[in-house]
Amino acid sequence: MSEKDAKKELMRRANELSPTVRVGKDGLGQGLFDEISAQLKKNRLIKAKVLSNSDGDAQEMADAIAEATGCVVVDVRGGVMVLTDKRTWSSLCQKKFRGNSDA
């Protein structure tokens, strides 16, 4: 499965999720990073929402979160980011797609 296919699969899974982490006026801090790490360890795929009263861009915050927690940013749309752990990302990228093929 390519990275593009892995991203599609994770976005499909994330479609039904609600944001469980909210980044507000306090911004990014160690407490937020710890919470994201704990939720990723438990759920492997989460959504985080950047509230309008926070300072900064959602993409920049997603990159900072990924660097601090070691997670992978699947997608950022508006103020919502989809995050997954590296193990899930790498296993999906290495997985051979066994769906309907034209071959």
Side-chain angles (χ1 to χ4, degrees):
M1 192 179 275
S2 68
E3 286 190 10
K4 183 178 177 182
D5 293 332
K7 180 178 175 178
K8 275 183 173 178
E9 174 63 22
L10 290 171
M11 288 304 293
R12 184 187 63 75
R13 293 180 189 178
N15 195 28
E16 297 178 5
L17 295 177
S18 297
T20 56
V21 177
R22 287 166 180 77
V23 181
K25 63 183 177 183
D26 295 335
L28 303 176
Q30 190 58 44
L32 181 76
F33 297 146
D34 292 343
E35 180 63 26
I36 289 172
S37 295
Q39 287 192 24
L40 283 171
K41 192 172 188 177
K42 181 179 177 185
N43 300 325
R44 302 179 105 192
L45 181 69
I46 64 168
K47 276 187 181 177
K49 183 171 185 167
V50 179
L51 302 177
S52 60
N53 65 350
S54 66
D55 297 331
D57 180 45
Q59 183 64 52
E60 293 171 2
M61 288 189 175
D63 294 338
I65 289 169
E67 186 176 322
T69 62
C71 69
V72 175
V73 179
V74 178
D75 195 30
V76 177
R77 293 188 186 180
V80 179
M81 57 188 93
V82 177
L83 307 170
T84 190
D85 61 343
K86 282 190 176 181
R87 190 174 75 183
T88 302
W89 178 255
S90 62
S91 70
L92 273 177
C93 288
Q94 293 172 0
K95 189 176 188 180
K96 300 283 188 244
F97 186 67
R98 295 179 188 237
N100 296 336
S101 63
D102 296 334

